[in-house]
Amino acid sequence: TTEIYTLSLHDALPICMTHDTPSSSPLSPLLVLLMATTTGLVVASNYYAQPLLHTIADQLSLSYAKAGIIVTTAQASYAVGLILLVPLGDLVERRRLIVIMMLLAMVGLLISASARSLPMLLAGTAITGAFSVVAQVLVPFAATLAPLETRGKVVGTVMSGLLLGILLARTVAGALSSLGDWHTVYWVAAALMLLNTLALWRLLPRYHQPASLHYGQLITSIAGLFLRYKMYRQRSVLGFLGFAMFSVLWTSLAFLLSAEPWGFNDATIGLFGLAGAAGALSARHAGVLADRGHGQRLTIIGIVILLLSWGLLGLGGTSLIALLAGIVLLDLALQAVHITNMNMVFSLDESARNRLNSGYMFVYFLGGASGSLASAAAYEHQGWWGVVLLGAGLAVVALLYSGLMLVGTRRQQPHRQES
């Protein structure tokens, strides 16, 4: 039996429930909204720098390739946090873990806000990146508290908040930078993080799932999950390729838009995040389709759209309409594939959801870090078309791989019927 203590604004009532009674879950619409908001705010912390890279590069006298290291550091430290910190959700009480990680992420933001050199900015970025994986503790927590029949919908809703945070971070950062400078973005983000942490402490239910493994075994067991589940490996590869494409686009987009013929300022560049946000809103609907068993079809369609989106993005050097359409399509397709991946991964083992999420998102953000690094280098040497060819190449690889997955699945089905 797992003990859950739900805290409302007026009282605190202990509730006892088992993992098999999701209908008595304390997951209210208000709590889902808070969790979605939190994931968005926390993950946004890793993306405030993207529309400001050209400004930071100018102020700190950096090349574009070196400025891209800021984004790579955020995603690489996030990947490390996924492996070392997220599995703690299977070991310790969730609310306390979430609040502590939020406070430490806030410390990283304060360091970045005070930074006057690249090493100090990278240090703050690394700390924030590592502890902002608290979002990946919240997502499986929501899946655990949700009734089985609406799990995909709830995960999609919380992930919509996370994805909107990634995309709207650019809009907010551009606006705040225009009101002050790039340091202002981090000061405001730290204040918002503190307010959100207080709300979580007050409203999140206490939840502790006793684990039979100690910390070291939890970490090493992630590798065992990859060995045990073929679908886990496959979906992680697709996640790697998908988020690599996402980072290829967004890392170099500010370089394109700040140069001729556009010459946009930080605030205008940040507004392009709104185009991506339109695609991110599809995450909830993708979760509903995944609940209905359309995951495989949704994956193929999503990857085909990803490939088509790069054709439009290739025209972005001369057409803003094509660029905006490409951004919307790419983000919409990526979220459809990603939510499908997560829904399938969470279904593998209910008792190991934090570790399953940890391993999947580790590979996912390795793809993001690799895409950011490669994108900045591609733009430095080949300009926007180098970035487009890189992204399109990744889409072709993802399409071929998903096709092989589908063929393998169909070959296995007759054997299952014969047995």
Side-chain angles (χ1 to χ4, degrees):
T1 302
T2 301
E3 290 186 356
I4 295 183
Y5 299 89
T6 58
L7 299 180
S8 70
L9 290 173
H10 305 291
D11 53 17
L13 298 176
I15 299 175
C16 290
M17 63 179 288
T18 67
H19 298 306
D20 299 324
T21 57
S23 59
S24 60
S25 166
L27 193 64
S28 65
L30 176 62
L31 188 53
V32 173
L33 178 61
L34 176 61
M35 296 172 91
T37 302
T38 301
T39 57
L41 181 64
V42 170
V43 174
S45 302
N46 290 325
Y47 295 90
Y48 292 131
Q50 285 192 358
L52 313 176
L53 284 179
H54 64 290
T55 300
I56 295 173
D58 291 342
Q59 289 191 10
L60 299 182
S61 301
L62 306 173
S63 67
Y64 283 162
K66 187 168 286 188
I69 295 174
I70 299 168
V71 179
T72 301
T73 298
Q75 293 173 337
S77 59
Y78 195 94
V80 171
L82 285 166
I83 287 295
L84 298 182
L85 298 176
V86 171
L88 288 171
D90 286 335
L91 189 64
V92 301
E93 198 276 308
R94 301 277 179 89
R95 188 184 72 162
R96 182 178 302 160
L97 175 66
I98 288 167
V99 168
I100 291 173
M101 291 175 70
M102 290 281 289
L103 291 173
L104 291 172
M106 183 188 70
V107 170
L109 288 172
L110 292 173
I111 293 173
S112 295
S114 306
R116 292 294 183 273
S117 65
L118 180 61
M120 188 173 180
L121 180 56
L122 291 179
T125 299
I127 293 171
T128 300
F131 288 101
S132 62
V133 296
V134 64
Q136 303 305 327
V137 178
L138 279 163
V139 173
F141 192 16
T144 297
L145 296 177
L148 180 61
E149 62 273 13
T150 61
R151 182 172 296 152
K153 180 180 177 181
V154 168
V155 170
T157 300
V158 176
M159 284 300 300
S160 291
L162 185 149
L163 299 166
L164 283 171
I166 291 175
L167 295 163
L168 294 180
R170 299 169 176 85
T171 304
V172 172
L176 289 175
S177 176
S178 297
L179 293 174
D181 62 10
W182 64 267
H183 297 89
T184 305
V185 178
Y186 291 99
W187 287 116
V188 173
L192 291 175
M193 188 82 78
L194 178 59
L195 292 174
N196 192 259
T197 303
L198 293 174
L200 289 170
W201 177 253
R202 182 62 177 157
L203 296 175
L204 272 183
R206 294 182 185 273
Y207 185 97
H208 184 244
Q209 174 180 295
S212 59
L213 304 176
H214 59 65
Y215 178 72
Q217 291 173 324
L218 282 173
I219 300 301
T220 56
S221 70
I222 296 173
L225 292 171
F226 277 108
L227 293 174
R228 187 181 312 161
Y229 299 113
K230 181 179 180 180
M231 187 177 74
Y232 189 36
R233 299 192 299 271
Q234 292 174 336
R235 290 289 159 177
S236 296
V237 170
L238 288 180
F240 178 97
L241 294 170
F243 201 52
M245 279 182 266
F246 181 91
S247 296
V248 165
L249 168 64
W250 288 101
T251 297
S252 292
L253 187 62
F255 301 147
L256 171 72
L257 295 175
S258 63
E260 294 298 332
W262 309 123
F264 294 144
N265 60 23
D266 290 348
T268 305
I269 292 172
L271 290 175
F272 279 77
L274 296 175
L281 290 173
S282 67
R284 183 173 178 272
H285 301 292
V288 173
L289 289 173
D291 283 337
R292 296 174 180 173
H294 301 303
Q296 198 70 257
R297 184 181 307 171
L298 196 60
T299 299
I300 297 294
I301 293 173
I303 294 174
V304 170
I305 295 175
L306 280 171
L307 182 57
L308 294 176
S309 71
W310 284 107
L312 291 170
L313 291 168
L315 303 175
T318 56
S319 171
L320 282 180
I321 293 176
L323 182 64
L324 288 168
I327 291 172
V328 171
L329 283 180
L330 184 141
D331 285 325
L332 184 152
L334 175 63
Q335 305 331 325
V337 174
H338 180 51
I339 295 302
T340 301
N341 287 345
M342 296 197 72
N343 206 49
M344 291 184 170
V345 165
F346 285 156
S347 69
L348 293 174
D349 186 345
E350 181 178 346
S351 65
R353 283 207 183 103
N354 275 280
R355 282 168 285 156
L356 287 166
N357 190 50
S358 173
Y360 170 79
M361 294 303 297
F362 174 75
V363 177
Y364 187 76
F365 272 85
L366 280 183
S370 302
S372 296
L373 198 60
S375 179
Y379 190 89
E380 182 94 358
H381 295 97
Q382 300 295 329
W384 182 244
W385 271 107
V387 173
V388 171
L389 291 174
L390 174 61
L394 289 169
V396 170
V397 172
L399 185 59
L400 293 173
Y401 186 75
S402 61
L404 291 174
M405 284 172 52
L406 184 60
V407 170
T409 300
R410 288 179 175 175
R411 284 179 177 174
Q412 289 175 3
Q413 286 176 349
H415 295 292
R416 290 173 183 168
Q417 292 172 0
E418 289 171 8
S419 59

